[in-house]
Amino acid sequence: MQYNSDEALKLENQLCFPLYAAARKIVGEYTPHLKPLGLTYTQYILFLVLWERDHLLVSEICERLMLDSGTVTPLLKRLEVQGYLRRERSEDDERCVYVVLTDKGYSLKDSVRDIPLKVGSCVGLTPGEAALLYKTLYKILKVE
C-alpha cells in the first residue's frame, strides 16, 4: 500500500501500533493470575525459560527472552533475594554467571500450570488463527 507522507503518519496506518496494543492487552491478561503469586509478566517468562532448562548462563537467558542484561540482571537479583534462584559464577571464567533454580523456584511451576490455558481462552482466536499469528510474529522477529 502506498501512502503520501500525511497518510503514512496516521496512527491507523502504523503496523507497530496494533502490535503494541495487542501485546499490552495480552500481557495484561496475565496480571490477575500472576499478581497473587507476587510475579510480574517478565518474571513469569524468565521462569518459563528456566523450567525448560535450568542452569543457564545469564547471556543465554537474555537471548531466549530477547532482553538485554540491564533488564534481566535486576530481575534475577530480586528473584534471588526472594529465594527462587541463585546465581553462580563459573569456576572457569568468573565473567560467566549461571542461574540455578532453587526448590522454591521449581515448586512455583505447579502454581502457574493453568495460566496459559486461562489466558489463551481470553484472546478470542481460533486455534488456526492463533497458529498463524504465532508464525507471523516469529517471522517478524526472524526466529525460526
Side-chain angles (χ1 to χ4, degrees):
M1 200 176 270
Q2 189 78 17
Y3 295 116
N4 68 36
S5 60
D6 287 339
E7 286 294 309
L9 294 176
K10 287 185 176 179
L11 184 62
E12 67 195 39
N13 294 329
Q14 306 302 309
L15 175 61
C16 60
F17 181 71
L19 286 170
Y20 165 78
R24 285 181 37 95
K25 178 180 168 51
I26 291 172
V27 169
E29 294 289 339
Y30 283 86
T31 302
H33 305 289
L34 296 173
K35 193 171 186 174
L37 301 171
L39 294 177
T40 64
Y41 177 76
T42 310
Q43 290 170 329
Y44 170 71
I45 61 173
L46 181 128
F47 277 114
L48 294 178
V49 167
L50 291 171
W51 290 325
E52 210 173 291
R53 186 171 142 229
D54 193 9
H55 202 264
L56 289 172
L57 288 167
V58 172
S59 59
E60 293 173 307
I61 294 169
C62 291
E63 186 178 321
R64 289 285 317 275
L65 295 177
M66 300 179 193
L67 296 171
D68 61 41
S69 62
T71 301
V72 172
T73 300
L75 187 68
L76 294 171
K77 286 180 180 179
R78 280 192 297 276
L79 293 172
E80 186 173 34
V81 167
Q82 294 173 334
Y84 289 112
L85 55 86
R86 64 181 185 280
R87 292 174 296 151
E88 300 175 349
R89 293 217 175 266
S90 168
E91 291 178 11
D92 300 328
D93 184 349
E94 67 179 32
R95 294 171 299 173
C96 295
V97 178
Y98 288 93
V99 178
V100 181
L101 285 172
T102 62
D103 289 342
K104 183 178 178 181
Y106 276 116
S107 69
L108 186 61
K109 188 176 184 179
D110 291 330
S111 302
V112 300
R113 221 173 265 288
D114 62 341
I115 291 176
L117 186 58
K118 288 179 180 177
V119 172
S121 67
C122 297
V123 176
L125 297 175
T126 67
E129 290 169 331
L132 180 60
L133 178 59
Y134 179 89
K135 183 177 178 180
T136 303
L137 292 173
Y138 273 102
K139 183 176 182 180
I140 291 170
L141 295 171
K142 294 182 177 32
V143 175
E144 300 288 327

